[in-house]
């Protein structure tokens, strides 16, 4: 009833998943920066998430982790699980999973799905992962999920999708959770998930240091006038920007004495 990918990029690990299932993100994904990622599905054993990460933390390979998880589970024939770590990716599909069910795995990924329209779903996901090499992990995961969705995905239909990525220090306030986004109930959840990632990057993305504009001259005059229109009048532009950004949720893009062109565009749009 689900298709997913677990993938890695250096110390970053993530999961992208979609299903005809309410709030699939509450059940399937687990990921930890610098360690690995797990996707548990079909008749999902949610204990696989914590237990899988614990096994990886204890030094088990992805293959050993899957072997241990399934050996200790009497319901393994109905389960499906994908694990990726520094040792590579491993995908397991129990023989009693509803057709079509299966998976693929490589050095830095594992894709798997059950109750799919056919094997073409995981084939498309694997191909999209390969062709997106060099892009950020989040975009590679989305590319694979979108390809699986376009290939037909879950044969029962669409309902939810989710994305979880851990990267050391890349989350809000220096947390290791870079992305944790869910579309719990939507007629077209995968494109909606892509929209959420785009919004996340708008609000929380790192500004390009080479593109920052000094707050002086004509730039400073424009920024002061735009802020005044939004009710933030005064002389200290850094303080005014800080006040505005705190309400508009762009504080992660602020840098003293300069302005991110992305932020300037939002000011021009009158974002409050």
């Amino acid at each position: 009833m689900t298709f997913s990918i677990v993938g890695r990029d250096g110390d970053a690990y993530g999961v992208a998943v979609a299903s005809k299932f309410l709030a699939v993100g509450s059940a399937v994904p687990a990921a930890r920066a610098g360690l690995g990622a797990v996707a548990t599905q079909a008749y999902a054993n949610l204990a696989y998430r914590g237990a899988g990460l614990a096994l990886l933390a204890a030094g088990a390979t992805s293959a050993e982790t899957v072997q241990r998880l399934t050996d200790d589970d009497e319901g393994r024939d109905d389960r499906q699980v994908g694990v990726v770590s520094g040792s590579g990716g491993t995908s397991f599909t129990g023989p009693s999973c509803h057709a079509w069910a299966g998976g693929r795995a490589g050095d830095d990924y594992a894709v798997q799905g059950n109750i799919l329209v056919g094997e073409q779903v995981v084939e498309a996901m694997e191909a999209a992962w390969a062709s997106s090499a060099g892009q950020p992990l989040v975009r590679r995961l989305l590319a694979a999920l979108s390809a699986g969705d376009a290939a037909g995905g879950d044969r029962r239909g669409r309902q939810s999708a989710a994305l979880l990525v851990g990267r050391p220090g890349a989350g809000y306030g220096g947390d290791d959770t870079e992305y944790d986004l869910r579309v719990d109930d939507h007629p077209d959840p995968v494109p909606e998930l892509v929209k959420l990632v785009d919004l996340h990057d708008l609000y929380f993305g790192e500004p390009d240091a080479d593109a920052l504009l000094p707050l002086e001259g004509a730039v400073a005059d424009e920024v002061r006038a735009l802020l005044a229109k939004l009710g933030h009048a005064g002389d200290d532009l850094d303080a005014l920007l800080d006040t505005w950004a705190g309400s508009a949720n762009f504080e992660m893009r602020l840098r003293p004495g300069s302005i991110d062109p992305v932020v300037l565009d939002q000011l021009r749009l009158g974002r409050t």
Side-chain angles (χ1 to χ4, degrees):
M1 58 185 172
T2 303
F3 55 102
S4 69
I5 177 168
V6 293
R8 69 176 175 90
D9 176 14
D11 286 338
Y13 292 87
V15 185
V17 57
S19 181
K20 178 65 170 68
F21 184 87
L22 179 67
V24 70
S26 68
V28 170
R32 186 180 303 169
L35 181 62
V38 178
T40 176
Q41 55 198 54
Y43 284 97
N45 185 338
L46 273 58
Y48 279 10
R49 299 176 302 181
L53 292 177
L55 286 165
L56 293 175
T61 66
S62 63
E64 291 167 344
T65 296
V66 168
Q67 189 69 54
R68 288 278 300 279
L69 290 174
T70 54
D71 280 351
D72 295 341
D73 183 2
E74 292 183 358
R76 59 185 170 272
D77 285 357
D78 294 312
R79 315 283 195 212
Q80 195 168 49
V81 61
V83 177
V84 68
S85 71
S87 65
T90 302
S91 183
F92 168 86
T93 298
S96 297
C97 286
H98 296 304
W100 188 89
R104 305 282 186 87
D107 288 342
D108 55 3
Y109 72 94
V111 297
Q112 46 281 317
N114 61 92
I115 318 186
L116 303 183
V117 297
E119 187 175 5
Q120 65 266 30
V121 175
V122 294
E123 290 175 341
M125 294 175 73
E126 185 177 47
W129 175 262
S131 65
S132 62
Q135 295 184 28
L137 177 59
V138 64
R139 295 297 170 178
R140 298 191 72 190
L141 294 171
L142 286 177
L145 196 69
S146 297
D149 188 51
D154 189 323
R155 61 182 170 89
R156 301 167 308 157
R158 298 173 171 87
Q159 187 168 9
S160 65
L163 175 77
L164 178 63
V165 177
R167 185 187 300 273
Y172 186 85
D175 184 76
D176 285 348
T177 302
E178 186 176 18
Y179 295 88
D180 186 0
L181 300 169
R182 289 170 32 175
V183 178
D184 286 345
D185 186 25
H186 193 279
D188 207 5
V190 174
E192 193 68 14
L193 184 63
V194 175
K195 290 180 184 178
L196 290 181
V197 171
D198 290 342
L199 283 173
H200 181 282
D201 290 349
L202 172 65
Y203 288 120
F204 307 119
E206 282 286 319
D208 181 352
D210 294 332
L212 292 173
L213 303 172
L215 280 173
E216 55 190 39
V219 172
D221 292 341
E222 182 184 8
V223 170
R224 183 174 285 107
L226 291 169
L227 287 168
K229 286 182 180 179
L230 296 173
H232 303 283
D235 295 323
D236 188 338
L237 280 182
D238 280 325
L240 294 172
L241 276 169
D242 186 66
T243 300
W244 167 80
S247 62
N249 294 316
F250 288 103
E251 62 269 25
M252 298 297 289
R253 286 188 170 274
L254 294 188
R255 297 295 183 271
S258 61
I259 187 167
D260 182 349
V262 172
V263 172
L264 181 54
D265 286 342
Q266 296 304 308
L267 276 172
R268 288 167 174 164
L269 290 171
R271 292 292 291 273
T272 59

